[in-house]
Amino acid sequence: MSNSKLVNFARRFFHTRNAFEAAVAAGVPPEKAALGADSMLEQPAARKELERLEKSSPQTLSYVRTGLTRLAFGQVNDAVRLAFDKEVTAEQIMKMDLFNISGIKLQKDGAVEIKFADRQTALEKLVELDPELKEVSDADKLISMIYGGSGSDSNDDG
């Protein structure tokens, strides 16, 4: 694969953190992208570009926040369509927003099992990244610990 394709792959991967999606965007056929993406990440041209982007981009944290926000609040309409539409084509799948999917299994009976990213974990990570939200979250935990123990004792009079 040419260095320019590897650089394009690295740039797309840097922004999405999705090796499969980056490989397809770099021109790898979807049926080969899953296997090719891992090897592309190891290529010197891709590694060099990723290192350059990581060092030069003050926006990295912003990309992480964007991804977590997308996981926490993203739509699942396309995933539902994928599960129920028996006539969906590969071209239609490539146009779908499947960002929130963490796994897909085809069952022996032909049923499709789709696992989604954990929205709660994404929200928790967003709170960890935002100092103001983290302070509120830590204060809430402290208040819960203080009043949680004594509050349950006072409610036993029933």
Side-chain angles (χ1 to χ4, degrees):
M1 178 167 277
S2 73
N3 279 354
S4 64
K5 281 192 176 187
L6 288 169
V7 167
N8 287 335
F9 163 81
R11 289 176 183 161
R12 181 66 175 243
F13 178 78
F14 176 76
H15 293 291
T16 64
R17 298 300 183 197
N18 182 315
F20 175 83
E21 185 178 316
V24 171
V28 177
E31 58 274 5
K32 295 182 180 178
L35 296 174
D38 289 337
S39 65
M40 291 173 76
L41 279 171
E42 300 302 320
Q43 295 297 315
R47 303 286 319 149
K48 184 177 178 180
E49 181 64 8
L50 278 172
E51 288 172 17
R52 185 191 71 74
L53 290 167
E54 293 289 346
K55 287 179 184 173
S56 68
S57 179
Q59 299 272 336
T60 301
L61 186 56
S62 176
Y63 294 132
V64 171
R65 281 191 181 113
T66 300
L68 288 170
T69 301
R70 207 169 154 197
L71 290 175
F73 301 108
Q75 298 292 320
V76 296
N77 301 10
D78 285 340
V80 171
R81 179 174 173 221
L82 180 64
F84 289 103
D85 187 351
K86 302 298 182 202
E87 304 295 320
V88 68
T89 66
E91 184 177 315
Q92 290 171 322
I93 291 172
M94 294 308 299
K95 293 177 182 176
M96 291 179 171
D97 179 6
L98 304 175
F99 189 80
N100 286 351
I101 294 179
S102 65
I104 298 177
K105 283 186 187 177
L106 182 61
Q107 303 293 335
K108 291 179 184 177
D109 64 358
V112 176
E113 176 185 333
I114 298 178
K115 290 186 179 185
F116 294 96
D118 184 346
R119 290 179 188 263
Q120 179 69 33
T121 300
L123 285 168
E124 289 170 1
K125 295 297 179 188
L126 279 169
V127 168
E128 288 175 17
L129 289 175
D130 190 324
E132 290 178 20
L133 288 176
K134 184 160 177 34
E135 287 175 19
V136 170
S137 177
D138 289 345
D140 286 345
K141 286 178 189 174
L142 178 61
I143 291 169
S144 291
M145 287 172 40
I146 292 170
Y147 292 109
S150 63
S152 64
D153 295 338
S154 65
N155 290 335
D156 290 341
D157 296 332

